[in-house]
Amino acid sequence: MAAFLLSFSYLFLSLILLKKPMNKLKPFSSDFDPLRHESPSVDKVGVEERVARIQTRSIKNESKIQGLKLVLNMIDLTTLEGKDTPGKVKQMCYKAMHLLDAHPGLPATAAVCVYPSMVGIAKAAVKGSDVKIASVSTAFPSGQAPLNVKLDDTRFAVENGADEIDMVISRGKFLSGEYQFVFDEIAAIKEACGKARLKVILETGELVTLDNVRKASDIAIHAGADFIKTSTGKIQPAATMQVTYTMLMAIKDHYDRTGVMIGMKPAGGISTAKAALHYLVMVKETLGDAWLSNEWFRFGASSLANDVLMQIIKMETGVYQSSDYFSID
Amino acid sequence: MAKKTDKKISSWDFSPSPEGISHIELKDKYDLFIDGKWVKPSSGKYFESINPSNEEKISSVAHANQADVDKAVKAARKAYNGVWGKMSGKERGKYIYRIARMMQEKARELAVIETLDGGKPIRESRDIDIPLACNHFFYYAGWADKLDYAFPNRKVESLGVAGQIIPWNFPLLMAAWKIAPALAAGNTVVLKPAESTSLTALKLAEIIEESGLPAGVVNIVTGFGDTGAAIVNHPDVDKVAFTGSTDVGKIIQKAISGTDKKATLELGGKSANIILEDAPIDQAVEGIVNGIFFNQGHVCCAGSRLFVQESVADVVVKKLKQRLDSLYVGNPLDKNTDIGAINSKEQLQTIKKYIKIGQEEGAEMYQSPCSIPTKGYFCPPTLFTNVAQSSVIVQQEIFGPVLTIQTFRTVDEVIQKANNTPFGLAAGVWTDKGSRIFNLTTKLRAGVVWANTYNKFDPTSPFGGYKESGFGREGGLHGLEAYVKLS
């Protein structure tokens, strides 16, 4: 009898264990669910090596000019300061549309990125142009507010004309393993966005490991992100090539599983044309040319544009100009 | 969710970015470097060195015969008895350091010549071959005055004259692997580079000449197999060091049997690269690419047999194919080229022969759809699936950009299969679990086992094989030991 009970409970136990398979294939099969399945592991040393190799690509002549113009057109020109005023925002919006009037043929930036309170001002300022309005929301940058506040924050921005919402995830919840909470929050904000595209900021500087970055990317994509974004710009390190590479591979696996494209936005810390070109090479060699437009790739940056402009002028005239020849709105 | 779209918004290609060649200095004709002087070959014969990426002649190189080799060995013996064998380690070290520094100063020139002569991408010769060659000289220079500490409580003596024969896949690096430890230990050298890639060894001879190294300490004799045979069979050679094919290695071993010549042989390989199901897949795919397509697969320790656990086989193969498609094959001098030219026409024919055998064996082939130049010797990166241990392309060394992919179910199975080969040079293991790494590394019979990486080299780390991959170690303290007599 005892033996029977023992074998019965053994059978029962193994049934329970069988019910929760941690199939390593899952991240690559169509029924992958980051809340139930492990994400693929990421080897930091390998990522660093891959990124280093990408940085040895030599971008010259025509491809450099083409790349630099692409970079300008991918910038979310950003001001996110406590001291932002309508005056500052209006001037930045003008810069976004007129990067260097002395040099015709240059694109505008993709968007301007502001706080919700400045969305209305910015919307009016870029009227008639292709420049989109991106607004941070969800109690940016910490995200330490209740969901209803975050939803109100988001709706306010959308109602004032935001085309894109840059939300932050709850990093504290993520780090304590409450993935479901993080997922639900993103899904709720996505719903509040309506037609606005949702960028989900992982704040990778607080997630620390690449395994965490991958997990958070998978959760964000699964919860409805249109874009995933590295950082708020308020925490160091902000965007790095390693982190961006890890996120690009999450986007790639999602695309391979579902055929659905997700956008990528590294933000913070990318201030030179050379670094920006390395990011483009990385996108090209991981996701392919289809992602090389501002519909699918953005740079969150405030000072990148002028360095790119300086390089374009250098390419065309052969000489560097002083920074005083480039406006600093 | 974002809408599904396949619309290609823009395409962005890299403009050609060729490394300049105006700064290099190459002579039209190279003589033999014997006893500190450039001497004409006694036969008067020269052969052409060809650029494999465009089939154009770069230079002419002297063909040394037995008489020339004899002259070189005599010069080496004289230098050993007269100067080098008696010199203090501290003084020897100074010379070796000087050679290392001069190589560094000429690194760019050496890299370009290596690429012109051998067909490897400039990215590799610039970032790997040349810096590593310099590092070997630096590393062994440091040992020259510390031999008593390298082998504590032993009496350390040099061997005498070392005859060294090196292959065409890493011409300057192999010269450094051979010459640096030999000199540090107090030996003199007669070195023969491979006939298709003599030029960087000859540039090294120029550097050695300029460095003021005493005449005859290093002699460089160029030529074919007959030149190599003359070195191996010369009665006054104390030590033979050979890197190359297993076939030639066997001939050498026969030739020196019954003599008291010491030998190290670094021969062929068919190394296993093992991907377990918990591996970081994307990084493993990079490792597979680095393992087999590094230097067009002309690497004795190339990870040419890929083993993937069945549960992740489909995704690994899929990702591998995608990655293959993003590799640039073409002009080796272009800084963006990932895969350059096959070293010689003969080698290209060998590779093509094996590709044909693979297809005839019923293996499934995938080649990246890259465009390859019409002139020169090129081979697109190639994968074979649906192969078994019994397939010829799994058993024999192809020495080209050709990877065979087998699947396995359990760790025990893969250990058995990985060891089931006459070779045993290297292996790679990819897993997220430390305990698995230790389990596999202790059971794989290979001289080098890499964990979560592949094709990593360092002067401080010994390198060499089991079984038909040879014996003796090069690099590190072990490499030094191969050039000394301990008592």
Side-chain angles (χ1 to χ4, degrees), chain B residues 262-330:
Chain B
K262 278 186 79 167
T264 42
L265 303 179
E266 202 263 275
L267 309 176
K270 192 77 182 173
S271 300
N273 201 2
I274 300 166
I275 316 294
L276 295 162
E277 62 181 358
D278 65 341
I281 298 289
D282 289 316
Q283 286 73 58
V285 167
E286 284 306 312
I288 297 166
V289 169
N290 291 337
I292 183 63
F293 301 121
F294 174 51
N295 198 26
Q296 296 73 246
H298 303 328
V299 185
C300 44
C301 54
S304 50
R305 287 188 298 150
L306 178 65
F307 289 95
V308 190
Q309 200 151 16
E310 279 187 15
S311 55
V312 290
D314 289 347
V315 61
V316 167
V317 171
K318 182 177 159 193
K319 280 174 174 276
L320 189 56
K321 286 178 180 171
Q322 288 173 340
R323 182 70 180 99
L324 232 57
D325 297 351
S326 72
L327 294 172
Y328 290 84
V329 183

Side-chain angles (χ1 to χ4, degrees), chain B residues 425-429 437 440-442 444-451 453:
Chain B
L425 194 50
V429 178
I437 291 174
L440 276 147
T441 48
T442 50
L444 290 169
R445 280 180 290 148
V448 183
V449 184
W450 284 290
T453 188

